[in-house]
């Protein structure tokens, strides 16, 4: 039976949130007021967490998908003893505080995922649940359950209106992720008013159709009903669970409960007073925490600490029996690479003939997969085209958690969010893949990966009009530029098979940012390391002199190119030499890394004052950031066309003749 202290604790959560928003004069009080009981039930009675060791690997994961309700999360973190003192709650949404307007991973201890863009959190949680199942399969042994935790989510009407949540939930149902449990804060209010305006389907029936176990709780304040439903959800191990809890936004507020006005603005001083009176709470002081409530939250944390200590003992016993596995587990969770991870990284030679960089990428991935067991991922139903299938490792499926190929289905948006979830969880180097054009379908999670400093890899193939016949719907034009403008992202577009191997070296060794690879469908000559010894070191610096100008007088012109266009530049260089123009060819697989090199290096590669021609089969936007405003570009300012790839390239200006023409313009001949 719930009692006095339960109610006191729930109201503490409510009023801390109300006071935070009121003091900041900004934020979202309504969701925390309605969802406080379910959050309390979860944190007090189920969630395994230890505020003294927020990164304990076998902790349960909790994701507040409705990130706008973060005052609730901050109150929970504070009350249970995470490093989030009351002074931080009082600085909600202020410059430099650890209580930002929406939860930010890495900023606030206990925040497992950056949320706020609706639909992302619940989709991240699907990735976390996949992570748990995969690690459990890999590391648990009879009598040794060292990976055994749940992923809990609180999501809102808005979350479940979002397409990405549907994609991810559909996949979660298919995969039967039994340790994923979503609490749905069904207050039936969003910003414009009632969900009657735009969201009238039977959400429970939809989730049941996805293959979820679905329960509903009619009264969001019925702690025992919520508790019973959570218990039941945990007993269902073959399917993810959703508990739709009928709540009231702004619960307790005499004039704002069930109103959209409770969603995203402070209640106002008078309404705060009336609400406190209505729920029998002291009007003053704000940020009041009754001793009994504080003690209750501390008890929950103390239970978590015991659980963690128990786990530590179990892990030591595991280490005794399985020392190698224990080391590997710690290595993976710690994000360290195995020794000699790159020992089998392939080297390509001119004897390999012409190789599409997508094919080279597939070879590289398969070559490192053995030594890098944390490499796991897949494609949006395009593995035969993106070449990302890990041949020896099967599919991760409902009945086999050992697979390392994730079949995301045609769900690019969820793929991005799930890959992020794997990274948030830890223990993986996760990847996704699709055509570069469809990066548009993945932009939201890529942006969040960049913001959250997640190490994820996305393999984008069919990276230019050179992909050919599928035509302008499938030919990326603005995509490289559009991805490069996202801060903290690396876009790597290698020029051949060997640059692809080095691009993967970057992808594997980066720690705190997403790496996006842009690979070709069409075949390209191999840049033999014998002829191009600078290639290896060069790729790691973002751009480098691939082929210098003949003669001792320095270059007359520098042609900078990326990916497939590097070969055009090389051919142009040869032809220009015949007319006495000495061109230097710079291969620039990663502009961001090049931008980070010391000025002296950059000036060595592209000497100031030397005319510069930049060649890339895409919009030229962004090149001036790295090479100044003087660059003459060979790019695209229109959509592509359906034709064989080499025809499309030539017709749209990617011919040696056109490059030479532009060189002549640049040098003033
Ligand atoms: C992708 C995305 N679109 C729009 C918003 C702006 N937004 C914030 S909350 C919200 C809807 C509020 O409804 P709900 O999610 O049910 O939250 P509640 O009203 O219960 O607090 C919207 C549209 C957002 N955060 N993310």
């Amino acid at each position: 039976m719930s009692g006095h202290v339960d109610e006191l604790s729930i109201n503490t959560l409510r009023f801390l949130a109300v006071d935070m928003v009121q003091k900041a004069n900004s934020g979202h009080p309504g969701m925390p007021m309605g969802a406080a009981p379910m959050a309390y039930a979860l944190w007090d009675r189920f969630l395994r967490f230890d505020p003294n060791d927020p990164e304990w690997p076998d902790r349960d994961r909790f994701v507040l998908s409705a990130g706008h309700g973060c005052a609730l999360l901050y109150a929970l973190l504070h009350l249970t003893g995470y490093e989030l003192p009351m002074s931080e709650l009082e600085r909600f949404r202020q410059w430099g505080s650890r209580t930002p307007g929406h939860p930010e991973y890495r900023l606030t201890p206990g925040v497992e995922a950056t949320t706020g863009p609706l639909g992302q959190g619940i989709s991240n949680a699907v990735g976390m649940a996949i992570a748990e199942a995969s690690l459990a399969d890999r590391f648990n042994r009879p009598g040794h359950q060292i990976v055994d935790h749940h992923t809990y989510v609180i999501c809102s009407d808005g979350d479940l209106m979002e397409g990405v949540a549907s994609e991810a939930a559909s996949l979660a149902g298919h995969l039967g992720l039994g340790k994923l449990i979503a609490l749905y804060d069904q207050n039936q209010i969003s910003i414009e008013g009632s969900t009657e305006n735009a969201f009238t389907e039977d959400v429970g029936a939809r989730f049941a159709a996805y293959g979820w176990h679905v329960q509903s709780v009619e009264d969001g304040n019925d702690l025992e009903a919520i508790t019973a439903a959570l218990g039941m959800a945990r007993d269902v191990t073959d399917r993810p669970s959703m508990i739709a809890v009928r709540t009231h936004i702004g619960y307790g507020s005499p004039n704002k409960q069930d109103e959209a006005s409770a969603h995203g603005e402070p209640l106002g001083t008078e309404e705060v007073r009336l609400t406190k009176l209505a729920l029998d709470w002291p009007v003053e002081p704000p940020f009041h925490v009754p001793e009994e409530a504080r003690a209750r939250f501390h008890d929950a944390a103390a239970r978590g600490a015991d659980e963690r200590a128990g786990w530590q003992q179990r892990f030591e016993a595991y280490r005794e029996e399985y020392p190698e596995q224990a080391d590997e587990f710690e290595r993976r969770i710690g994000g360290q690479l195995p020794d000699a991870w790159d020992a089998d990284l392939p080297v390509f030679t001119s004897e390999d003939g012409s190789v599409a960089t997508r094919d080279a990428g597939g070879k590289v991935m398969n070559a490192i997969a053995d030594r890098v067991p944390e490499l796991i991922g897949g494609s949006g139903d395009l593995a035969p085209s993106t070449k990302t299938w890990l041949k020896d490792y099967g599919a991760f499926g409902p009945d086999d958690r050992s697979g390392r190929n994730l079949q995301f289905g045609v769900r690019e948006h969820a793929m991005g969010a799930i890959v992020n979830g794997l990274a948030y969880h830890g223990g993986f180097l996760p990847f996704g893949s699709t055509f570069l054009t469809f990066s548009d379908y993945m932009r939201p999670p890529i942006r969040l990966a960049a913001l959250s400093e997640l190490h994820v890899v996305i393999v984008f193939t069919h990276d230019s009009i050179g992909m050919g016949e599928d035509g302008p719907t499938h030919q990326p034009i603005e995509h490289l530029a559009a991805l490069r403008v996202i801060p903290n992202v690396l876009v790597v577009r290698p020029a051949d098979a060997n640059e692809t191997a080095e691009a993967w070296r970057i992808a594997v060794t980066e720690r705190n940012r997403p790496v996006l690879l842009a690979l070709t469908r069409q075949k390209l000559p191999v840049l033999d390391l014998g002829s191009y010894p600078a290639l290896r070191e060069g790729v790691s610096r973002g751009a480098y002199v691939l082929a210098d100008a003949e003669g001792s007088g320095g270059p007359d012109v520098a042609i900078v190119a990326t990916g497939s266009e590097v070969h055009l530049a090389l051919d142009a260089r040869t032809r220009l030499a015949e007319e006495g123009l000495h061109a230097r060819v710079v291969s620039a697989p990663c502009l961001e890394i090049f931008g980070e090199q010391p000025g002296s290096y950059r000036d060595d590669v592209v000497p100031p004052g030397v005319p510069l021609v930049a060649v890339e089969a895409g919009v030229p936007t962004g090149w001036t950031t790295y090479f100044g405003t003087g660059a003459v570009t060979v790019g695209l300012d229109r959509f592509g066309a359906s034709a064989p790839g080499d025809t499309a390239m030539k017709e749209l200006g990617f011919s040696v003749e056109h490059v030479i023409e532009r060189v002549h313009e640049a040098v003033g001949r």
Side-chain angles (χ1 to χ4, degrees):
M1 278 293 291
S2 45
H4 166 71
V5 182
D6 293 319
E7 201 181 318
L8 212 56
S9 304
I10 290 166
N11 281 336
T12 304
L13 292 172
R14 285 190 172 117
F15 286 112
L16 280 178
V18 163
D19 288 335
M20 287 164 75
V21 173
Q22 192 59 39
K23 174 140 198 258
N25 198 24
S26 165
H28 302 78
M31 182 273 177
M33 294 166 79
M38 71 175 86
Y40 172 74
L42 176 60
W43 282 63
D44 181 57
R45 300 174 179 188
F46 293 92
L47 195 73
R48 298 194 320 157
F49 64 99
D50 182 2
N52 290 316
D53 189 357
E55 313 238 307
W56 160 35
D58 201 35
R59 69 192 181 280
D60 288 337
R61 304 303 196 268
F62 172 72
V63 179
L64 183 68
S65 193
H68 61 274
C70 58
L72 175 63
L73 178 55
Y74 300 148
L76 286 162
L77 294 174
H78 166 73
L79 290 167
T80 52
Y82 282 85
E83 244 188 82
L84 197 67
M86 187 62 96
S87 55
E88 290 293 331
L89 269 52
E90 291 172 0
R91 295 205 306 134
F92 181 50
R93 294 190 150 218
Q94 303 309 303
W95 179 266
S97 79
R98 269 186 281 155
T99 47
H102 292 84
E104 292 178 32
Y105 181 66
R106 294 188 192 277
L107 179 64
T108 314
V111 168
E112 300 276 10
T114 299
T115 55
L118 290 165
Q120 296 295 326
I122 184 168
S123 309
N124 297 151
V126 173
M128 294 178 185
I130 291 173
E132 195 271 349
S134 174
L135 286 175
D137 181 87
R138 170 105 185 172
F139 289 101
N140 288 347
R141 294 291 182 273
H144 293 274
Q145 295 284 110
I146 60 155
V147 182
D148 183 11
H149 56 267
H150 284 79
T151 302
Y152 295 99
V153 192
I154 292 183
C155 59
S156 65
D157 294 308
D159 278 308
L160 299 188
M161 285 188 230
E162 289 288 355
V164 63
S166 303
E167 292 179 17
S170 165
L171 185 61
H174 164 77
L175 290 172
L177 298 172
K179 287 180 173 170
L180 173 63
I181 299 178
L183 286 157
Y184 169 23
D185 172 38
Q186 190 173 24
N187 61 32
Q188 298 181 351
I189 294 289
S190 66
I191 289 180
E192 292 187 6
S194 164
T195 50
E196 285 296 316
N197 296 332
F199 189 49
T200 48
E201 81 228 16
D202 182 339
V203 177
R206 175 157 66 89
F207 272 69
Y210 290 151
W212 287 53
H213 174 256
V214 177
Q215 305 174 75
S216 53
V217 172
E218 293 311 317
D219 175 1
N221 286 316
D222 187 341
L223 197 56
E224 297 319 312
I226 296 170
T227 302
L230 278 167
M232 181 89 85
R234 288 223 311 200
D235 289 342
V236 175
T237 56
D238 61 342
R239 282 168 290 165
S241 286
M242 109 102 64
I243 305 169
V245 187
R246 179 68 177 96
T247 56
H248 294 274
I249 195 166
Y251 176 80
S253 161
N255 299 299
K256 293 202 167 177
Q257 178 176 319
D258 295 323
E259 299 289 336
S261 60
H263 161 81
E265 54 192 72
L267 295 182
T269 326
E270 178 58 9
E271 193 64 16
V272 170
R273 194 180 72 83
L274 293 175
T275 308
K276 287 182 176 174
L277 290 175
L279 293 186
D280 198 18
W281 200 254
V283 172
E284 290 292 339
F287 298 96
H288 171 61
V289 179
E291 274 317 309
E292 290 160 284
R294 194 176 284 287
R296 174 60 58 89
F297 285 105
H298 276 182
D299 287 349
R303 266 196 307 279
D306 288 346
E307 302 251 25
R308 188 194 57 78
W311 179 83
Q312 200 70 51
Q313 277 180 358
R314 293 203 305 282
F315 189 74
E316 293 315 320
Y318 177 79
R319 193 198 301 280
E320 286 278 299
E321 247 183 277
Y322 302 102
E324 273 175 35
Q325 285 84 350
D327 283 353
E328 191 193 319
F329 180 79
E330 289 188 323
R331 177 187 72 69
R332 282 180 57 171
I333 291 293
Q336 306 297 320
L337 281 170
D339 292 339
W341 72 268
D342 59 350
D344 302 321
L345 206 64
V347 173
F348 298 85
T349 68
S350 34
E351 279 170 23
D352 292 308
S354 292
V355 184
T357 53
R358 65 169 171 164
D359 285 314
K363 286 211 172 78
V364 171
M365 292 173 73
N366 277 287
I368 63 176
D370 263 354
R371 291 178 182 268
V372 187
E374 56 268 48
L375 185 69
I376 180 172
S379 149
D381 197 40
L382 281 172
S385 294
T386 60
K387 311 291 179 189
T388 45
W389 190 265
L390 302 177
K391 296 186 178 72
D392 296 334
Y393 295 99
F396 179 95
D399 303 316
D400 182 1
R401 305 305 200 197
S402 69
R404 286 166 54 188
N405 293 285
L406 302 177
Q407 296 188 285
F408 292 104
V410 193
R411 301 184 183 96
E412 296 84 1
H413 195 172
M415 171 167 69
I418 289 170
V419 162
N420 286 356
L422 282 149
Y424 280 130
H425 183 282
F428 294 92
L429 169 52
F431 68 89
S433 78
T434 184
F435 293 164
L436 180 58
T437 350
F438 304 138
S439 60
D440 289 340
Y441 280 54
M442 302 185 64
R443 199 170 174 83
I446 289 173
R447 181 173 194 274
L448 283 166
L451 173 61
S452 303
E453 302 179 3
L454 298 182
H455 182 204
V456 302
V457 181
I458 312 291
V459 179
F460 289 121
T461 64
H462 298 57
D463 72 343
S464 78
I465 52 170
M467 56 90 69
E469 292 86 344
D470 276 344
T473 54
H474 285 48
Q475 291 167 336
I477 300 292
E478 74 282 21
H479 298 78
L480 291 168
L483 293 167
R484 286 185 186 129
V485 294
I486 305 175
N488 201 43
V489 161
L490 296 183
V491 177
V492 192
R493 185 167 187 247
D496 86 318
N498 282 320
E499 280 201 4
T500 304
E502 295 310 311
W504 260 104
R505 188 191 299 282
I506 294 170
V508 172
T509 54
E510 267 295 326
R511 291 284 75 151
N512 295 327
R513 49 189 170 178
V515 180
L516 315 180
L517 302 180
L519 307 180
T520 63
R521 169 179 184 239
Q522 73 272 31
K523 293 185 170 188
L524 300 172
V526 169
L527 300 171
D528 202 294
L529 293 176
S531 310
Y532 298 102
L535 183 148
R536 254 203 189 137
E537 156 83 6
V539 174
S540 76
R541 307 200 76 166
Y544 64 101
V545 179
L546 178 67
D548 209 351
E550 306 268 337
S552 55
D556 300 319
V557 62
I559 309 175
V560 185
T562 77
S564 43
E565 288 71 81
V566 167
H567 303 278
L568 266 184
L570 287 172
D571 290 348
R573 171 179 170 275
T574 308
R575 295 261 292 271
L576 287 163
E578 289 163 12
E579 54 179 89
L581 257 181
H582 301 303
R584 163 183 287 190
V585 171
V586 173
S587 176
C590 183
L591 299 187
E592 296 83 9
I593 293 180
F594 182 61
E596 289 165 5
Q597 302 305 306
S600 54
Y601 177 78
R602 283 184 282 140
D603 289 350
D604 280 350
V605 174
V606 182
V610 172
L612 190 141
V613 177
V615 191
E616 185 173 74
V619 294
T621 314
W623 277 86
T624 50
T625 310
Y626 299 97
F627 296 101
T629 49
V632 168
T633 55
V634 179
L636 280 168
D637 56 4
R638 54 158 284 181
F639 291 114
S642 174
D646 47 359
T647 309
M649 280 292 224
K650 276 198 196 85
E651 291 289 339
L652 293 171
F654 294 90
S655 61
V656 179
E657 292 71 26
H658 188 226
V659 173
I660 288 174
E661 219 175 278
R662 297 292 276 162
V663 166
H664 287 159
E665 283 172 43
V667 300
R669 281 206 190 167

